[in-house]
């Protein structure tokens, strides 16, 4: 099934495109809202600015796909593979991405407000979002990820692996916008992470591992460090 056939069938009311193979296809500026592309092969596709709002892409393979400005709001990408995909400027509001493979994926400028990325693989991903977002990154693997200047106020990042991650000047402070919620980094591993000049005002870092982390110039007002392993290997009481 090619792109023209899919668009024709969608216009006729069909929504089931499970396991379709569109590898290297171009499908930009299209409307596929609510369509089911579960387990589809979408590797190296160009889907820029396409509307996949509320679509189902569970288990789909979007490795190396160009997804600039795509709308995946409220879409289901549980266990999807987005390795080295480019989601620059994508809309991922309330999107389900838990257990997804986002290895080396670019999410620069993406709107991750309410996105669920728990237990996802984000090694060396570019996560420099541009807006205040309440994102679920609990248990995610973010080793070496770039979150420099990221606004993650009120984000849930508990038990995530952020070893070697770049969080320079990131905003991880308590958010008034989200009902004065604190950013939750409890149990997170931040060994050798760059937190220089980051704003951690009011953040929860209980039992976090900060061994070797760079806290130069970081704002640490009212941070809960109870039981945390500090950069010098001491345990905070």
């Amino acid at each position: 099934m090619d792109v023209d056939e899919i668009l024709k069938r969608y216009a006729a009311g069909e929504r089931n495109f499970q396991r379709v193979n569109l590898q290297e296809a171009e499908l930009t500026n299209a409307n596929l809202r609510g369509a089911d592309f579960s387990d589809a092969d979408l590797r190296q596709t160009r889907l820029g600015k396409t509307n996949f709002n509320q679509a189902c892409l569970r288990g789909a393979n979007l490795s190396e796909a160009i997804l600039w400005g795509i709308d995946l709001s409220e879409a289901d990408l549980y266990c999807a593979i987005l390795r080295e995909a480019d989601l620059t400027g994508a809309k991922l509001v309330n999107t389900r991405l838990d257990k997804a493979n986002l290895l080396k994926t670019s999410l620069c400028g993406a709107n991750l407000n309410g996105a669920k990325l728990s237990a996802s693989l984000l090694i060396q991903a570019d996560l420099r979002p541009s807006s205040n977002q309440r994102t679920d990154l609990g248990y995610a693997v973010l080793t070496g990820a770039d979150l420099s200047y990221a606004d993650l106020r009120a984000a849930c990042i508990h038990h995530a692996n952020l070893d070697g991650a770049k969080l320079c000047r990131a905003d991880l402070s308590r958010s008034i916008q989200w009902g004065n919620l604190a950013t939750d980094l409890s149990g997170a591993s931040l060994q050798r992470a760059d937190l220089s000049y980051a704003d951690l005002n009011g953040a929860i870092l209980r039992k976090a591992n900060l061994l070797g982390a760079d806290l130069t110039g970081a704002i640490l007002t009212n941070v809960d460090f109870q039981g945390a392993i500090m950069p010098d290997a001491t345990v905070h009481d």
Side-chain angles (χ1 to χ4, degrees), residues 65 91 112 144 160 203 227:
K91 295 179 183 177
L112 290 160

Side-chain angles (χ1 to χ4, degrees), residues 23-188:
Q23 189 176 354
E24 299 184 1
E26 182 166 346
L27 188 60
T28 57
N29 296 293
N31 178 25
L32 290 165
R33 178 186 176 94
D36 188 351
F37 282 86
S38 299
D39 300 309
D41 187 348
L42 299 166
R43 288 174 292 169
Q44 299 177 323
T45 51
R46 299 179 66 88
L47 302 172
K49 296 186 178 180
T50 292
N51 182 2
F52 277 102
N53 190 287
Q54 298 181 350
C56 182
L57 293 111
R58 292 172 66 97
N61 192 339
L62 292 124
S63 296
E64 301 178 26
I66 305 299
L67 308 169
W68 301 335
I70 193 171
D71 186 356
L72 286 161
S73 299
E74 300 183 15
D76 185 352
L77 285 100
Y78 175 78
C79 282
I81 302 171
L82 293 126
R83 183 178 52 82
E84 297 186 66
D86 191 343
L87 284 150
T88 300
K91 295 179 183 177
L92 296 162
V93 178
N94 297 322
T95 302
R96 184 175 183 183
L97 283 156
D98 42 329
K99 295 189 177 180
N101 184 337
L102 293 134
L103 177 69
K104 296 184 179 180
T105 298
S106 175
L107 290 154
C108 189
N111 188 339
L112 290 160
N113 190 10
K116 184 175 179 61
L117 287 142
S118 58
S120 58
L121 185 66
L122 288 148
I123 296 173
Q124 295 183 34
D126 186 344
L127 273 144
R128 291 173 293 170
S130 57
S131 60
N132 185 8
Q133 301 163 15
R134 188 178 177 187
T135 307
D136 182 358
L137 289 160
Y139 294 94
V141 180
L142 291 139
T143 51
D146 192 349
L147 292 116
S148 302
Y149 296 89
D151 188 343
L152 289 166
R153 285 174 285 172
C156 181
I157 318 175
H158 66 91
H159 296 93
N161 187 338
L162 289 143
D163 291 348
K166 299 175 184 176
L167 291 144
C168 177
R169 298 188 184 279
D171 191 346
L172 297 154
S173 63
R174 185 181 294 275
S175 174
I176 296 174
Q177 179 178 336
W178 296 108
N180 206 30
L181 281 175
T183 300
D184 186 0
L185 285 152
S186 57

